[in-house]
Amino acid sequence: MKKPVYMDYAATTPVDPVVAEEMCKYLTLDGVFGNPASRTHAYGWQAEAAVEGARRQVAGLIHADPREIVWTSGATESDNLAIKGAVAGRDNPHIVTSVVEHKAVLDTCKWLEQQGVSVTWLKPGSDGRIAPDQVASALRDNTVLVSLMMVNNELGCQTDVAAIGTLLRERGVLFHVDAAQAAGKTEVDVSTAPVDLLSLSGHKVYGPKGIGALYVRRSPDVRIEAQIHGGGHERGMRSGTLPTHQIVGMGKAFELASELLEQDKALLEDLRHRFLQGLESLDGVALNGSDRHRVPGIINLSFDGVDAESLMLGLRELAVSSGSACASATIEPSFVLKGIGLDDEQAHRALRFSFGRFSTPEEVDFAAAQIVDVVTRLRSVR
Ligand SMILES: *Cc1c(COP(=O)(O)O)cnc(C)c1O
């Protein structure tokens, strides 16, 4: 069977071949396999040098100081470390987040709520965005942290991180941003954006799965408490032997993302335009989320009179999803779509198409033609 066309880049990306080739040099006896924490011999020193090189590459993409990068196992762990680590030890803390965050943030905040932390859950407008004045009015004297994502993984819409960060800085409240879907897709610059903690993932940026990072600002100095103890790696913030091959892979992937940012963006703007044009002959198609403040590669569409389950069954030659990969296992409608005000039925009609670096115009044309066919057929048998 021919493989379906991959249109689920928001769930994960393939590892760039350049990255995969680099990673292989850090595994075997003839490669750099040493423990980066081994201080007594060259095996360790070489591995440490590789890890520090990758730290500079990751820091480079977001304009951070390499000393502000803490390696983790992925954005899920980064989110947990940032939020739990910022709240730990605080007296009667209050945090602010939104109902359209990734599960890694939602479930962490829900868990903290059960532990007695007060949480304000902001609801975005129908465009999927949280307005700065919503954040301002949610703040209390005991607010310690606001956690909002930079780019929504289901809708592709972008948060006004600069404006929200500026008002939080004035109020002395920490700002955590999940940038897993933003890195490599749009400019992420912590040298200008007032962000204190920022989560990154390797596998959303053509790097390997199982590796991520948390940016922790040094000036003004941000203190978080470790959530994993033992050995005191990463300046005590995250213990555990560093996975050199994963780290080198994420570093190379982030270096490529810096070099290719404009090129990748231009390709995806083109493909988005082409895809939506290919669907123009269909009416009753609605774009979910902002069309102005968004990244080009994530497109969430609802089709009148067609439920997403049947549409996906018809679209066997396309690999797409009805929401986030983590939520796809359930048939519950997406909490993100419900969060922007869609009712159950409307949410059940939505599909997410996400493109990436290796998507082609031919694939996008094929996908649009298939969608037009299947939607037309499903509507006619109604
Ligand atoms: C994928 C994703 C995560 C989880 O990242 P992992 O590295 O898979 O743990 C967190 N937040 C957002 C917005 C994501 O898209």
Side-chain angles (χ1 to χ4, degrees):
M1 198 190 98
K2 215 175 92 212
K3 277 206 265 182
V5 174
Y6 190 67
M7 306 202 109
D8 206 8
Y9 276 79
T12 194
T13 60
V15 172
D16 193 291
V18 176
V19 170
E21 193 187 335
E22 192 63 21
M23 289 174 69
C24 291
K25 301 175 190 162
Y26 294 86
L27 290 163
T28 49
L29 180 62
D30 59 350
V32 180
F33 70 89
N35 187 329
S38 293
R39 290 281 153 78
T40 50
H41 49 69
Y43 295 90
W45 303 332
Q46 281 175 356
E48 190 195 18
V51 165
E52 295 315 311
R55 205 186 294 278
R56 286 191 289 277
Q57 290 168 319
V58 169
L61 181 69
I62 63 165
H63 307 275
D65 183 311
R67 292 171 297 177
E68 296 175 312
I69 301 298
V70 174
W71 299 115
T72 65
S73 62
T76 299
E77 188 190 329
S78 302
D79 289 344
N80 272 267
L81 173 57
I83 299 170
K84 292 175 186 165
V87 165
R90 301 289 200 108
D91 196 28
N92 182 31
H94 168 243
I95 59 181
V96 177
T97 187
S98 90
V99 297
V100 296
E101 297 306 302
H102 190 272
K103 287 274 186 191
V105 167
L106 287 182
D107 289 356
T108 301
C109 292
K110 275 186 205 157
W111 181 82
L112 285 169
E113 204 170 33
Q114 284 161 8
Q115 310 298 308
V117 172
S118 354
V119 181
T120 298
W121 301 91
L122 299 176
K123 270 192 84 147
S126 59
D127 63 354
R129 305 178 81 220
I130 300 289
D133 57 351
Q134 278 180 282
V135 177
S137 12
L139 299 180
R140 303 177 192 165
D141 292 340
N142 59 337
T143 308
V144 296
L145 177 80
V146 172
S147 177
L148 295 171
M149 70 210 311
M150 193 158 177
V151 169
N152 185 280
N153 52 305
E154 287 193 36
L155 302 169
C157 54
Q158 261 179 285
T159 305
D160 191 348
V161 164
I164 295 170
T166 304
L167 78 91
L168 293 179
R169 180 63 57 82
E170 280 165 13
R171 298 282 299 263
V173 174
L174 290 178
F175 191 18
H176 167 245
V177 172
D178 180 337
Q181 292 290 349
K185 298 190 176 87
T186 184
E187 190 67 39
V188 180
D189 185 351
V190 297
S191 75
T192 56
V195 166
D196 300 296
L197 298 154
L198 183 132
S199 301
L200 297 166
S201 174
H203 74 97
K204 305 289 173 68
V205 194
Y206 311 97
K209 297 168 187 55
I211 183 72
L214 180 67
Y215 158 81
V216 183
R217 186 176 289 282
R218 280 171 67 92
S219 171
D221 194 20
V222 173
R223 290 288 158 96
I224 50 167
E225 253 180 52
Q227 301 300 306
I228 295 181
H229 303 93
H233 306 74
E234 299 297 279
R235 283 166 292 118
M237 279 184 271
R238 203 282 194 173
S239 291
T241 299
L242 294 175
T244 315
H245 63 300
Q246 303 286 83
I247 287 172
V248 163
M250 181 164 170
K252 190 70 197 171
F254 273 54
E255 183 185 71
L256 277 180
S258 302
E259 288 165 16
L260 299 177
L261 184 62
E262 291 312 315
Q263 193 179 316
D264 281 350
K265 268 164 63 180
L267 168 76
L268 294 175
E269 284 291 350
D270 248 25
L271 293 181
R272 176 189 185 91
H273 184 68
R274 202 173 169 116
F275 181 64
L276 292 175
Q277 232 174 12
L279 295 176
E280 256 169 17
S281 64
L282 274 184
D283 33 55
V285 183
L287 179 83
N288 297 313
S290 175
D291 192 25
R292 227 157 66 80
H293 304 279
R294 44 85 183 145
V295 294
I298 302 178
I299 307 177
N300 195 306
L301 298 174
S302 288
F303 301 88
D304 284 359
V306 176
D307 73 82
E309 293 292 314
S310 327
L311 183 52
M312 254 195 297
L313 277 177
L315 295 173
R316 283 181 194 284
E317 290 173 85
L318 309 182
V320 297
S321 95
S322 57
S324 69
C326 338
S328 301
T330 63
I331 46 169
E332 284 285 295
S334 152
F335 63 87
V336 171
L337 294 172
K338 293 184 73 172
I340 62 168
L342 271 61
D343 62 29
D344 274 12
E345 204 182 322
Q346 289 168 325
H348 271 305
R349 290 197 209 113
L351 275 190
R352 177 185 70 184
F353 303 89
S354 48
F355 314 133
R357 187 178 292 163
F358 306 111
S359 302
T360 65
E362 293 72 30
E363 287 178 347
V364 164
D365 291 348
F366 175 75
Q370 291 270 304
I371 295 164
V372 170
D373 271 6
V374 177
V375 168
T376 308
R377 183 161 51 76
L378 289 171
R379 282 180 180 165
S380 73
V381 298
R382 218 160 18 122

